[in-house]
Amino acid sequence: QKEVEQDPGPLSVPEGAIVSLNCTYSNSAFQYFMWYRQYSRKGPELLMYTYSSGNKEDGRFTAQVDKSSKYISLFIRDSQPSDSATYLCAMSRLGGTSGSRLTFGEGTQLTVNP
Amino acid sequence: ETGVTQSPTHLIKTRGQQVTLRCSSQSGHNTVSWYQQALGQGPQFIFQYYREEENGRGNFPPRFSGLQFPNYSSELNVNALELDDSALYLCASSFPGWETQYFGPGTRLLVL
């Protein structure tokens, strides 16, 4: 069983729709949760970062973490064609000055149609 | 501020050969991690370097090795290339005390 599960999609929505992307995980040691956006043939770009449970909002993006359910979500409001990309959830279990390894989901491929 | 850079962008090798990939970390970041991303998959952690020493390793064989230099740049070396090594290799750097990692554009390796 994978430590992080993510529906690969593909997910196709009309412009302006609210998009919900989700990941579940099995390791309760994960404390830090991130969402990355990856355009085709590019490196992942950090979108959102959350520590422990709760919500975080940044513009059209909202990240939610529910540690009791081991479930994280990313919501995109007023989706735009430029949001078309693969969205990767990532988690880490260690802190400190040396950084941590990230465990990624498979990624969800999103297409926003004009 | 300069972001993470990687070279080369693309590479074609044949099975059994050796390859070296290079990464320059973002300014102020002293930790570099390497990931392998197969087509259609999420990145898989290979190893991490902090202050020129390996600081954690994922489930990759010893033919995957690395180095970090005093200026925090890094190399990933892969010996005895196999067809399954074909992937996008990503380098990420971290700011001291932060959990978030910032990725470079990757090197796309094709093994024939």
Side-chain angles (χ1 to χ4, degrees):
Chain A
Q1 183 186 2
K2 294 180 182 178
E3 282 190 289
V4 180
E5 299 278 357
Q6 183 177 10
D7 185 343
L11 181 61
S12 182
V13 302
E15 183 175 353
I18 297 174
V19 176
S20 172
L21 305 168
N22 311 292
C23 289
T24 60
Y25 62 95
S26 57
N27 192 334
S28 58
F30 287 135
Q31 296 286 336
Y32 303 89
F33 305 91
M34 285 144 271
W35 286 94
Y36 285 85
R37 177 174 62 194
Q38 186 174 26
Y39 291 113
S40 180
R41 299 188 168 275
K42 302 290 186 184
E45 170 194 10
L46 180 66
L47 274 180
M48 300 287 285
Y49 162 70
T50 310
Y51 170 68
S52 197
S53 287
N55 293 358
K56 186 173 184 179
E57 187 173 322
D58 184 2
R60 297 184 295 112
F61 299 90
T62 299
Q64 288 185 351
V65 175
D66 182 351
K67 291 191 67 181
S68 63
S69 302
K70 297 189 178 66
Y71 188 87
I72 71 170
S73 300
L74 177 71
F75 297 94
I76 307 174
R77 291 182 298 280
D78 188 24
S79 56
Q80 303 294 310
S82 58
D83 295 328
S84 299
T86 295
Y87 290 79
L88 297 155
C89 63
M91 309 174 190
S92 67
R93 68 192 79 176
L94 293 174
T97 57
S98 60
S100 304
R101 67 180 68 186
L102 297 179
T103 302
F104 282 87
E106 190 176 343
T108 300
Q109 185 179 344
L110 170 68
T111 300
V112 181
N113 300 299
Chain B
E1 181 179 276
T2 305
V4 179
T5 60
Q6 293 186 242
S7 63
T9 56
H10 296 82
L11 207 50
I12 299 175
K13 292 285 188 179
T14 56
R15 195 170 49 182
Q17 286 189 311
Q18 178 265 343
V19 68
T20 297
L21 310 181
R22 295 178 174 83
C23 170
S24 292
S25 63
Q26 187 165 324
S27 177
H29 292 188
N30 65 0
T31 301
V32 174
S33 303
W34 286 91
Y35 293 81
Q36 180 195 65
Q37 186 177 24
L39 196 62
Q41 300 295 314
Q44 298 291 315
F45 176 76
I46 303 175
F47 45 56
Q48 182 179 89
Y49 278 83
Y50 171 62
R51 292 187 175 177
E52 302 178 52
E53 295 201 358
E54 189 177 289
N55 182 42
R57 187 178 185 92
N59 189 27
F60 281 81
R63 58 189 186 84
F64 285 78
S65 63
L67 284 172
Q68 186 180 32
F69 300 99
N71 66 354
Y72 307 137
S73 65
S74 178
E75 286 183 355
L76 165 66
N77 298 289
V78 187
N79 294 322
L81 283 167
E82 300 178 359
L83 298 180
D84 285 348
D85 295 334
S86 296
L88 180 67
Y89 287 85
L90 296 162
C91 169
S93 69
S94 312
F95 191 79
W98 287 60
E99 291 305 311
T100 51
Q101 297 183 16
Y102 296 88
F103 284 83
T107 293
R108 190 164 297 278
L109 173 64
L110 177 62
V111 182
L112 301 176

